[in-house]
């Protein structure tokens, strides 16, 4: 099993930046077998949506709404996932979740909530205008 713990959320004004982190805890061989990492978000009254993903080949994918503003990355040990968020907008306000799965991401499935085996508890991000 893998436990994911997000941090870095908070309140920021429009145009500002935040950096989210997601640390993975568990057996090394389990974490090493994770081939798809993702960030999702869920605003009140809305469905959870994919924000970005990164796979074992360091291929990253982004939702159109965040392209050019958000960057997903990992540390070298691949047990910490990051989401750098710049030029933030009030529409970015949501609970942000980290997710991970052993199956490699692809363009068709990376944003599907049900394909991820592991989830964090979320960190709140609020952007004021």
């Amino acid at each position: 099993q893998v436990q994911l713990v997000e941090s870095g959320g908070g309140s920021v004004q429009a145009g500002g930046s935040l950096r989210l982190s997601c640390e993975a805890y568990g057996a090394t061989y389990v974490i090493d077998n994770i081939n798809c990492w993702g960030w999702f978000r869920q605003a009140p009254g809305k469905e959870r949506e994919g924000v970005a993903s990164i796979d074992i080949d360091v291929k990253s994918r982004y939702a159109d709404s965040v392209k050019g503003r958000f960057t997903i990355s990992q540390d070298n040990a691949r047990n910490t996932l990051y989401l750098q968020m710049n030029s933030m907008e009030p529409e970015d306000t949501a609970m942000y979740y980290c997710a991970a799965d052993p199956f490699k991401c692809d363009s068709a499935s990376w944003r599907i909530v049900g394909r991820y085996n592991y989830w964090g508890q979320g960190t709140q991000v609020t952007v004021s205008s």
Side-chain angles (χ1 to χ4, degrees), residues 35-41 48-55 59-67 70 72 83 97-101 103-117 119:
N35 291 309
C36 182
W37 300 82
W39 283 102
F40 285 73
R41 66 186 181 187
R48 193 170 297 190
E49 64 174 358
V51 175
S53 73
I54 189 167
D55 65 22
K59 168 69 176 176
S60 57
R61 297 175 175 90
Y62 297 92
D64 288 344
S65 59
V66 306
K67 277 181 183 176
F70 291 10
I72 189 171
L83 185 69
Y97 298 90
C98 171
D101 193 82
F103 288 98
K104 189 177 176 180
C105 307
D106 60 48
S107 58
S109 69
W110 75 268
R111 63 184 78 211
I112 297 175
V113 171
R115 62 101 67 219
Y116 291 89
N117 200 28
W119 288 88

Side-chain angles (χ1 to χ4, degrees), residues 18-96:
L18 281 175
R19 188 193 196 200
L20 305 184
S21 298
C22 170
E23 292 190 74
Y25 298 92
T28 300
Y29 76 94
V30 176
I31 294 175
D32 286 347
N33 281 328
I34 290 176
N35 291 309
C36 182
W37 300 82
W39 283 102
F40 285 73
R41 66 186 181 187
Q42 188 167 18
K46 294 189 176 181
E47 292 188 354
R48 193 170 297 190
E49 64 174 358
V51 175
S53 73
I54 189 167
D55 65 22
I56 189 69
D57 297 325
V58 200
K59 168 69 176 176
S60 57
R61 297 175 175 90
Y62 297 92
D64 288 344
S65 59
V66 306
K67 277 181 183 176
R69 300 188 298 121
F70 291 10
T71 303
I72 189 171
S73 62
Q74 277 185 297
D75 68 344
N76 288 337
R78 292 185 64 243
N79 59 5
T80 304
L81 183 71
Y82 302 102
L83 185 69
Q84 178 66 44
M85 304 185 292
N86 299 328
S87 302
M88 297 186 73
E89 304 167 353
E91 292 74 22
D92 296 321
T93 295
M95 184 72 80
Y96 282 70

